[in-house]
Amino acid sequence: MTHPDHSSLRDRALAFRALHVPGRPLVLPNAWDTASARLVEDAGAPAVATTSAGLAWALGAADGDRLGREDALRAVAGVVAAVRVPVTADIESGYATDPAGVAGTVRAVLAAGAVGVNIEDALHEGDAPLRTVAEQAERIAAARAAADEEGVPLFVNARIDTFLRGAGGVDLTLERAAAFVAAGADGVFVPGAVDPETVKLLVEGVRAPLNVMAGPGAPPVAELAGLGVARVSVGSGIAQAAHALVRRAARELLEAGTYGSLADGLDYGALNTLFAGGR
């Protein structure tokens, strides 16, 4: 990976940071490869966020700390190269076993040209669903220090999986959020929390911009904005929908010999023109 110009990287990082406004949330339709990133940008997104699950699936791996750092960051670099808007990378647990490794991943993220990261506190091995507060705070602090040493105000989004993993409610989430913000996180991401009352309590209790993950059954963006949310993303939702279409179309063709699932496909010429235009 070649190192981008630090001045332009700082500018993009500051521009991305400024998009996090409580009550006027940054809306991120997550992408997983260069094609989806270009389509998201073309739809009008002011930034592109990767989904670690979608990215892993596209590379033939399962989500949950199973994809290697080099493969993941190579894909992130491809997304950055494909769009003009700022890119934030979902880096799972940091693609590393210790804080020093997380710092190395952050430096690689910056070298790839991304200006934000999500770092989750979930554990995918052993009995505990989450890392301890102290351990995760060290990882957040390492990410913050690495970015600061590079002179780039990387937006560190601390993902807290209390709700997603059934490991705790609002009180435990707020306790973890406070520790991670103190360690250097710029934002807090709580996937699985979409109930309006819960979101309201989190907005009031977290001293940083709150990111929620939306999808079918979640309140619309306008309602989340009214609750004070600063960022709304959809995780692997769009990738899942795309892959569902692939399976549905393949089964229809193989089992019924018909083509109805292809009826709403994007126009060939429009797609070719979009990708022929370059970044």
Side-chain angles (χ1 to χ4, degrees), residues 207-270:
R207 297 189 178 279
L210 181 72
N211 179 187
V212 300
M213 185 170 72
V221 170
E223 184 175 346
L224 293 171
L227 295 169
V229 170
R231 176 164 155 179
V232 179
S233 51
V234 294
S236 60
I238 297 176
Q240 289 173 252
H243 296 323
L245 173 60
V246 172
R247 184 167 68 174
R248 185 164 61 249
R251 286 180 173 175
E252 180 189 359
L253 179 61
L254 295 169
E255 296 170 8
T258 55
Y259 326 102
S261 298
L262 306 180
D264 295 324
L266 290 173
D267 178 74
Y268 171 90

Side-chain angles (χ1 to χ4, degrees), residues 180-198:
F180 301 160
V181 170
D186 301 291
V188 169
F189 178 27
V190 188
V194 292
D195 171 74
E197 283 302 314
T198 299

Side-chain angles (χ1 to χ4, degrees), residues 83-250:
V83 298
R84 294 181 175 86
V85 297
V87 172
T88 181
D90 183 342
I91 59 170
E92 301 193 45
S93 297
Y95 301 121
T97 58
D98 57 21
V102 173
T105 297
V106 164
R107 293 188 186 95
V109 165
L110 294 172
V115 293
V117 290
N118 284 0
I119 304 177
E120 66 187 53
D121 61 357
L123 273 173
H124 299 284
E125 294 182 354
D127 297 329
L130 306 176
R131 282 188 166 82
T132 66
V133 172
E135 182 182 2
Q136 186 65 8
E138 285 183 19
R139 296 168 77 87
I140 296 290
R144 173 83 281 140
D148 290 348
E149 287 167 9
E150 294 291 327
V152 179
L154 179 81
F155 192 97
V156 178
N157 206 26
R159 175 173 144 176
I160 300 175
D161 280 355
T162 41
F163 284 85
L164 201 61
R165 302 294 295 272
V170 170
D171 289 345
L172 182 60
T173 303
L174 293 179
E175 176 188 331
R176 297 177 79 86
F180 301 160
V181 170
D186 301 291
V188 169
F189 178 27
V190 188
V194 292
D195 171 74
E197 283 302 314
T198 299
V199 172
K200 182 180 178 182
L201 290 172
L202 292 173
V203 167
E204 292 172 350
V206 173
R207 297 189 178 279
L210 181 72
N211 179 187
V212 300
M213 185 170 72
V221 170
E223 184 175 346
L224 293 171
L227 295 169
V229 170
R231 176 164 155 179
V232 179
S233 51
V234 294
S236 60
I238 297 176
Q240 289 173 252
H243 296 323
L245 173 60
V246 172
R247 184 167 68 174
R248 185 164 61 249

